[in-house]
C-alpha cells in the first residue's frame, strides 16, 4: 500500500515546556485542588466499564490484536519526530511480544500527518477503497457509518482499524473471503457448544494526525496517544473523562502526560493469555489482578 506518496511533507514543530527554578526561600503560592471523588464500586465493575467504553471491535467480533509482524510507517512528519513516534510504539509493542518489521518492510500500520485531514482521509478512501473496505461484509471494520465519520470528523487524530477472524489451528481466515470458496469451520461436526479455535487479528491500521489540531501537545504525549491507538481497537467517539487514560489528551479539562497505568494494563491484558476470541468482559477480567496490585488490594 504505497501511502508514502499521499500528501506533501509537513513539518511538526513542538516547543518544549519551560521550567523555572524556585528560590528556596520563596514560599509556594497556595493552590486549590479539585475535590477528590472516590468510586466505591468493585474494581471488576470499573474495569468492565473502562473496557466497554474505550474498545471498538467490529460488530459481533472479538477484541483484535496484532499477531503477524507489524511494520510501522510514519509519513509527512519531520524525520526526528517520525523516529520518536516509531520508537515509542516499538518500545511498547516489544514489551507485549509483538513482532516488528525490519527497516524497508511494507507498512501495515501507517501514521500520516497533514494540515487538511478531511481531504487526506477522503483521498485515501477513494484511492484505496478496496483495502479500506475489502472485507466489509464480513465485519472486518466498523462499517460504512464509521467510514463516513472517518472522512468528516474534526478530531485531532482519526483512525481506521481492519481485522479478521482467524482459525488458530492453521492461521487461515475464519471466513469466506471475496473470490474464494466456502469456508468450513474447524468446529464443524463438533459437539462442543462454543468453538475455541477462532481469534481476531488486526491486519491493517491507518491513523491521520491533523497537525494544526495537535498543536500544544508535546511529541512524547502525542507518541503515547498514538501508541494506544496503534496497538488496540479504540473507540474514537467515546467520553473517556471518567477514566485515567491518555485518550483524554485533547480534553482541555484533563491533565494528561502520557500512557497511564490503566492504558498499559489494558494492553498487557489484551496481549496476554491464549490466542482466543476475547470479549470485553473477558478482557476486563484479565485486567483485574494487575489493577488490584496497583491499588494495593
Amino acid at each position: 500500500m504505497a501511502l508514502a506518496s499521499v500528501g506533501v511533507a509537513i513539518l511538526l514543530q513542538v516547543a518544549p515546556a519551560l521550567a523555572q527554578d524556585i528560590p528556596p526561600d520563596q514560599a509556594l503560592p497556595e493552590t486549590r485542588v479539585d475535590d477528590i471523588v472516590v468510586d466505591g464500586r468493585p474494581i471488576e465493575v470499573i474495569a468492565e466499564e473502562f473496557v466497554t467504553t474505550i474498545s471498538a471491535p467490529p460488530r459481533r467480533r472479538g477484541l483484535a490484536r496484532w499477531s503477524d509482524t507489524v511494520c510501522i510507517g510514519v509519513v509527512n512528519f519531520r524525520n526526528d519526530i517520525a523516529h520518536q513516534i516509531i520508537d515509542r510504539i516499538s518500545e511498547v509493542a516489544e514489551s507485549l511480544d509483538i513482532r516488528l518489521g525490519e527497516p524497508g518492510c511494507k507498512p501495515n500500520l501507517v501514521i500520516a500527518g497533514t494540515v487538511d485531514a478531511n481531504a487526506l482521509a477522503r483521498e485515501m478512501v477513494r484511492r484505496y477503497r478496496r483495502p479500506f473496505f475489502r472485507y466489509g461484509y464480513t465485519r472486518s471494520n466498523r462499517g460504512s457509518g464509521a467510514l463516513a465519520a472517518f472522512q468528516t470528523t474534526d478530531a485531532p487524530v482519526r483512525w481506521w482499524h481492519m481485522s479478521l477472524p482467524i482459525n488458530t489451528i492453521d492461521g487461515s481466515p475464519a471466513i469466506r473471503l471475496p473470490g474464494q470458496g466456502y469456508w468450513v469451520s474447524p468446529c464443524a461436526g463438533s459437539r462442543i457448544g462454543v468453538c475455541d479455535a477462532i481469534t481476531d487479528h488486526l491486519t491493517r491500521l491507518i491513523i491521520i494526525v491533523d497537525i494544526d489540531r495537535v498543536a500544544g501537545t508535546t511529541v512524547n504525549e502525542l507518541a503515547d496517544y498514538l501508541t494506544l491507538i496503534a496497538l488496540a481497537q479504540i473507540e474514537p467517539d467515546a467520553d473517556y473523562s471518567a477514566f485515567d487514560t491518555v485518550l483524554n489528551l485533547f480534553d482541555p479539562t484533563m491533565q494528561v502526560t502520557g500512557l497511564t497505568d490503566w492504558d498499559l494494563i489494558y494492553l498487557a491484558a489484551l496481549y496476554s493469555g491464549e490466542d482466543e476470541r476475547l470479549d470485553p468482559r473477558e478482557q476486563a477480567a484479565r485486567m483485574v489482578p494487575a489493577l488490584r496490585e496497583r491499588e494495593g488490594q
Side-chain angles (χ1 to χ4, degrees):
M1 188 164 53
L3 295 180
S5 62
V6 180
V8 295
I10 303 297
L11 297 182
L12 175 62
Q13 299 179 353
V14 182
L18 299 177
Q20 295 181 339
D21 294 333
I22 299 176
D25 59 345
Q26 181 176 331
L28 292 174
E30 293 184 1
T31 303
R32 185 186 184 281
V33 299
D34 294 335
D35 295 334
I36 298 175
V37 178
V38 178
D39 193 330
R41 295 176 299 167
I43 194 69
E44 293 86 352
V45 175
I46 302 173
E48 186 169 343
E49 184 177 334
F50 177 76
V51 173
T52 302
T53 298
I54 75 167
S55 302
R59 189 165 60 93
R60 297 182 183 176
R61 299 291 188 212
L63 300 178
R65 55 189 178 182
W66 292 104
S67 178
D68 294 332
T69 299
V70 177
C71 181
I72 307 170
V74 177
V75 298
N76 292 352
F77 287 90
R78 208 173 63 210
N79 284 340
D80 58 326
I81 294 175
H83 285 303
Q84 192 168 340
I85 292 172
I86 293 173
D87 288 347
R88 182 53 172 157
I89 296 174
S90 300
E91 176 187 11
V92 176
E94 287 177 341
S95 74
L96 301 170
D97 295 325
I98 298 172
R99 297 192 303 273
L100 296 172
E102 298 294 331
C105 59
K106 183 178 180 180
N108 54 5
L109 193 172
V110 176
I111 301 172
T114 179
V115 293
D116 192 342
N118 283 349
L120 179 58
R122 289 193 298 268
E123 176 62 15
M124 281 185 169
V125 173
R126 184 193 68 80
R127 188 177 300 187
Y128 306 105
R129 186 80 188 194
R130 181 173 173 81
F132 265 75
F133 237 6
R134 187 173 185 177
Y135 310 123
Y137 72 94
T138 59
R139 303 190 187 97
S140 69
N141 50 57
R142 296 176 58 240
S144 57
L147 188 63
F150 172 80
Q151 300 172 77
T152 58
T153 181
D154 59 359
V157 182
R158 67 189 73 192
W159 52 90
W160 188 255
H161 292 88
M162 288 155 281
S163 63
L164 282 178
I166 298 295
N167 176 356
T168 60
I169 295 175
D170 60 10
S172 63
I175 51 174
R176 185 180 70 84
L177 300 180
Q180 298 185 11
Y182 289 102
W183 173 76
V184 179
S185 168
C187 306
S190 172
R191 295 184 180 181
I192 301 176
V194 178
C195 178
D196 294 325
I198 304 299
T199 186
D200 293 275
H201 291 175
L202 288 170
T203 58
R204 295 187 183 188
L205 168 60
I206 293 177
I207 303 173
I208 297 178
V209 179
D210 188 314
I211 301 301
D212 292 335
R213 293 183 183 276
V214 300
T217 62
T218 68
V219 179
N220 287 339
E221 291 168 348
L222 180 61
D224 272 21
Y225 183 91
L226 295 174
T227 294
L228 184 57
I229 296 166
L231 302 180
Q233 294 166 305
I234 299 299
E235 168 60 56
D237 301 319
D239 179 0
Y240 319 111
S241 60
F243 304 102
D244 183 20
T245 172
V246 71
L247 298 172
N248 288 312
L249 178 61
F250 300 107
D251 184 339
T253 67
M254 307 291 287
Q255 292 185 345
V256 177
T257 58
L259 286 167
T260 68
D261 288 347
W262 277 81
D263 297 326
L264 295 173
I265 290 172
Y266 178 90
L267 290 174
L270 181 63
Y271 285 89
S272 67
E274 298 296 327
D275 197 8
E276 60 193 16
R277 174 151 286 177
L278 188 63
D279 65 28
R281 179 169 295 181
E282 292 166 330
Q283 166 73 350
R286 287 185 179 185
M287 294 176 62
V288 167
L291 291 172
R292 287 192 182 281
E293 182 178 351
R294 171 184 178 272
E295 300 296 332
Q297 299 181 8

